[in-house]
Amino acid sequence: MVSAILTDKKRNLRDAYSSALIELGHKNPDIVVLDADLALSTKTKRFGTVFPERFFDMGIAEANMMGVAAGLAACGKIVFASTFAVFATGRCYDAIRQSIAYPELNVKIVATHAGISVGGDGASHQMLEDIALMRVLPNMTVIAPADATEMEDVVPAIAEHKGPCYVRIGREDAPIIFETHGEFKIGKGYILRDGSDISIIATGTMTAEALKAYDLLKEKGIEARIIHMPTIKPLDEELVRKCAIETGCIITCEEHSIIGGLGDAVAMAIATKPVPMYRVGVNDVFGESGEARQLMEKYGLTADNIARVAEKMAKV
Amino acid sequence: MHDKKLIIEVKRKALEIRKWVIESVYRAGSGHPGGSLSIADVLACLYFHEMRHNPKDPNWPDRDRLVLSKGHAAPALYAALALAGYFPVEELKNLRKIGHFLQGHPCMKKVPGVDMSTGSLGQGFSTAVGMALAGKIDKKDYRVFAILGDGEVQEGQVWEAANTASHYKLDNLIAILDRNKLQIDGPTEEVMHVEPLAWRWQAFGWDVIEIDGHDIEEILDTFHEIKLNEKPTIIIAHTIKGKGVSFMEGTLSFHGKPPSHEQYIRAMSELEQEEKELEEEYG
């Protein structure tokens, strides 16, 4: 079990991204960073201020950015390419497929503003299909960190990993869950709370909600097991199967469409030995404008909703 | 001015490339002979004179790179690479065959000498910009050559890449536009106009040179004269689709179709005849 706390203390993952990137830049001269006119929002601009000779703004031309990243990587660079998740994946799918995933080049796509919690910008900017789009690509690693501490571990880990990676983080400040560094490994899931009645497997922003749901369920006498799954691909299938067997039912939680994301990945992992399962996510609809918290509530991405579903399932 | 001997030698290579294009596409039973034949002379000039490369060390960091952004001309690229010594020419007979490494479109993971996987038009050009940018970051003197189709410039991404190259002053990037005037659905100007080409590229901050893409001497001279002046260069190579095989020249039908057995025999004998004439003329 990995230690995880739940307090009101929050940090922004984008800040963690830029700090980790700068640290990495000092250590490794091969790190090059690209952005597509969102460097202030993704916070890659901070890297550009420290290393102007290794930061290039590609302007509002995301697909070209992915191609340029591939070319740089083909010449030995470790390239971080950032923009909002909606542009980084949907708009660039073909560029990523042809020029990054197929030739297996060392490009790290770090997308911010993923999910519905983008808020006011509305459905056009609320990316809920990015995990699905990146997961289907051979050679691609897909990661959704839960907090700033973990993000600081993810950045050097993906730089170390040879090959394409996709990392999605949200816009909002996120509760700090991990107090210490060093736990994150690509492809590994973590049990944060143990229990035997139900497994709640969460990724990204939803891990904090799952931890809150644990407390709610405990009050009702339900012992939930909370699993944080930062890497969606390659999935820690061994852990998923173990939890399926030991708890008998599973809920997955993600700030993403219920189609194609963590829920589907988990379902596939247990398909040969299935257990009852429910996917908490956005139910195949587009989002809308609103405040982050309001949207998370309206679309069922809350601890309350997880606990409500878990209660029903655990009782069956 | 280049000496006569070099010009003859490159002409011979171009003919060999053409023969292998016909041979490999015929044996594969599919592929794109038209656009492979149109770019054969440019490829011969690059791989047998202009480019700094070493077939014994395909990943040499200081080599000049070539991105075949019009990836469907792979048969011509593969022929040039094989003739240069990257892999045995016999492999060209296994183009597009299962279990063999010569994929229908260039794959850098499988084919020695292929600098970038391409096939989805517009994508390769952006990667060439990235390679040129890497050269500038590392202060290396290698150059990056990108070969574009004329239909390919209908892709919006080409212009994103063109804009980026001039913005970052990538004078180590040289694009060659294979202006053979035909795309699958018809003449470019009927399908979706690309003219005025030179004007468009100039407006995007590029140096533009227009040449006869089948005149070996002119191609070699043009490459030789390109200067490092903080601007990327594009060579608009006026070519003939299907060049070198009479019944393929200027036709649409051989864009993505292999020759029949009779056509294969005829094409090979035409190219062999041309080789013979070259030998008789220069010995």
Side-chain angles (χ1 to χ4, degrees):
Chain A
M1 215 162 52
V2 170
S3 162
I5 54 159
L6 202 54
T7 65
D8 289 337
K9 227 177 124 193
K10 288 183 174 183
R11 262 180 78 202
N12 197 291
L13 275 72
R14 290 177 286 145
D15 289 329
Y17 172 42
S18 61
S19 312
L21 211 46
I22 290 165
E23 202 180 316
L24 198 61
H26 282 296
K27 285 181 188 156
N28 191 337
D30 288 333
I31 304 289
V32 174
V33 178
L34 305 179
D35 206 299
D37 196 40
L38 288 169
L40 289 172
S41 296
T42 65
K43 313 237 177 185
T44 57
K45 186 77 183 169
R46 289 183 53 210
F47 180 94
T49 309
V50 182
F51 304 105
E53 71 289 353
R54 285 191 270 150
F55 173 81
F56 301 92
D57 204 316
M58 293 285 111
I60 308 167
E62 296 81 5
N64 177 60
M65 172 170 77
M66 296 306 174
V68 171
L72 286 162
C75 295
K77 303 296 175 197
I78 301 170
V79 190
F80 282 75
S82 284
T83 177
F84 291 177
V86 71
F87 310 128
T89 58
R91 190 176 190 109
C92 297
Y93 181 77
D94 188 50
I96 297 170
R97 180 185 188 273
Q98 309 287 352
S99 302
I100 296 173
Y102 177 44
E104 207 174 352
L105 288 166
N106 219 358
V107 176
K108 320 300 168 183
I109 302 161
V110 179
T112 68
H113 295 62
I116 205 161
S117 57
V118 160
D121 279 349
S124 61
H125 285 55
Q126 294 161 347
M127 191 32 150
L128 299 168
E129 312 95 59
D130 55 330
I131 294 175
L133 285 169
M134 293 298 103
R135 235 186 98 217
V136 291
L137 287 171
N139 300 329
M140 186 63 78
T141 293
V142 181
I143 299 167
D147 77 345
T149 314
E150 189 169 56
M151 187 61 186
E152 285 161 352
D153 284 347
V154 166
V155 172
I158 58 172
E160 184 88 7
H161 173 83
K162 221 168 147 30
C165 294
Y166 176 70
V167 178
R168 57 127 53 184
I169 60 176
R171 172 180 183 265
E172 296 290 290
D173 293 349
I176 292 174
I177 295 171
F178 302 109
E179 289 175 297
T180 54
H181 285 103
E183 208 58 55
F184 176 80
K185 275 195 188 68
I186 292 172
K188 209 171 164 333
Y190 307 95
I191 298 174
L192 305 183
R193 299 277 186 274
D194 209 1
S196 56
D197 293 335
I198 188 166
S199 291
I200 300 175
I201 305 176
T203 194
T205 48
M206 292 304 287
T207 295
E209 296 299 320
L211 284 171
K212 285 181 213 159
Y214 172 88
D215 293 340
L216 297 174
L217 289 164
K218 200 173 173 110
E219 285 167 20
K220 296 187 171 170
I222 297 166
E223 298 285 338
R225 180 182 295 184
I226 309 298
I227 299 108
H228 172 46
M229 198 61 82
T231 312
I232 296 130
K233 186 186 176 185
L235 187 73
D236 191 344
E237 295 187 358
E238 202 181 324
L239 179 64
V240 169
R241 291 193 195 106
K242 180 173 128 79
C243 292
I245 291 164
E246 290 175 1
T247 66
C249 57
I250 292 175
I251 295 178
T252 56
C253 315
E254 59 199 309
E255 196 188 330
H256 183 270
S257 170
I258 56 164
I259 299 174
L262 173 71
D264 278 7
V266 167
M268 280 183 218
I270 59 164
T272 50
K273 275 191 181 172
V275 297
M277 199 186 140
Y278 190 90
R279 294 168 299 168
V280 170
V282 176
N283 197 2
D284 195 22
V285 290
F286 287 108
E288 62 186 294
S289 289
E291 284 172 27
R293 196 64 223 167
Q294 294 171 327
L295 289 163
M296 295 294 272
E297 275 164 21
K298 181 166 179 178
Y299 290 86
L301 304 169
T302 58
D304 285 342
N305 190 41
I306 298 168
R308 188 181 60 79
V309 175
E311 202 180 342
K312 271 193 207 163
M313 286 188 86
K315 275 180 186 162
V316 174
Chain B
M1 284 295 285
H2 290 88
D3 69 72
K4 207 80 198 154
K5 212 178 131 201
L6 170 73
I7 293 163
I8 302 306
E9 187 48 34
V10 175
K11 275 188 181 173
R12 277 199 188 101
K13 294 292 183 192
L15 273 170
E16 280 191 77
I17 291 173
R18 289 197 163 90
K19 279 167 65 185
W20 276 112
V21 165
I22 298 300
E23 182 77 39
S24 61
V25 173
Y26 170 67
R27 282 173 181 264
S30 67
H32 300 80
S36 298
L37 293 171
S38 63
I39 203 64
D41 296 305
V42 166
L43 281 169
C45 291
L46 285 168
Y47 278 101
F48 298 99
H49 181 68
E50 186 59 32
M51 277 172 63
R52 181 172 74 195
H53 67 119
N54 179 5
K56 289 194 183 75
D57 186 7
N59 299 319
W60 179 31
D62 293 331
R63 74 191 185 282
D64 286 344
R65 272 87 171 157
L66 184 134
V67 176
L68 185 68
S69 199
K70 49 169 281 183
H72 54 279
L77 174 65
Y78 293 159
L81 290 172
L83 293 166
Y86 281 93
F87 51 85
V89 285
E90 285 301 299
E91 288 292 342
L92 296 170
K93 294 178 179 171
N94 299 320
L95 172 69
R96 291 181 169 232
K97 298 240 189 302
I98 192 162
H100 292 272
F101 67 88
L102 293 179
Q103 302 298 299
H105 291 80
C107 173
M108 66 183 287
K109 273 177 81 181
K110 294 188 174 168
V111 186
V114 169
D115 289 316
M116 181 51 65
S117 303
T118 52
S120 181
L121 295 175
Q123 306 288 3
F125 191 37
S126 291
T127 69
V129 171
M131 291 176 186
L133 188 59
K136 290 293 179 189
I137 295 171
D138 291 337
K139 298 187 171 58
K140 293 207 174 216
D141 67 349
Y142 66 74
R143 294 169 302 166
V144 181
F145 296 90
I147 298 179
L148 296 160
D150 52 0
E152 182 175 8
V153 305
Q154 291 159 359
E155 289 281 3
Q157 193 177 328
V158 166
W159 300 100
E160 295 182 6
N163 202 27
T164 307
S166 59
H167 181 84
Y168 284 110
K169 301 183 170 59
L170 303 179
D171 52 11
N172 53 348
L173 177 64
I174 298 158
I176 300 109
L177 198 148
D178 182 13
R179 185 73 179 111
N180 64 30
K181 297 157 201 78
L182 294 172
Q183 58 188 117
I184 304 180
D185 280 355
T188 56
E189 298 314 285
E190 286 176 24
V191 177
M192 183 50 66
H193 64 170
V194 298
E195 295 289 353
L197 263 178
W199 178 83
R200 291 188 192 194
W201 286 91
Q202 274 156 3
F204 271 75
W206 285 60
D207 273 341
V208 182
I209 307 169
E210 297 203 53
I211 63 165
D212 174 349
H214 299 308
D215 183 331
I216 299 288
E217 190 170 5
E218 192 179 355
I219 301 168
L220 291 173
D221 286 346
T222 303
F223 281 134
H224 190 69
E225 284 157 17
I226 292 171
K227 300 214 169 41
L228 293 177
N229 63 351
E230 301 205 329
K231 283 169 90 178
T233 299
I234 185 160
I235 299 168
I236 299 176
H238 291 274
T239 58
I240 295 164
K241 198 149 187 162
K243 172 72 179 175
V245 176
S246 62
F247 56 91
M248 290 186 178
E249 284 190 5
T251 69
L252 277 174
S253 48
F254 286 98
H255 172 92
K257 200 185 78 176
S260 67
H261 182 69
E262 290 72 26
Q263 288 167 334
Y264 160 71
I265 301 283
R266 224 179 110 196
M268 289 306 266
S269 83
E270 280 186 25
L271 291 166
E272 275 157 17
Q273 181 60 29
E274 212 179 318
E275 258 181 341
K276 224 170 110 190
E277 282 165 17
L278 194 68
E279 296 307 318
E280 278 166 10
E281 199 178 340
Y282 301 101

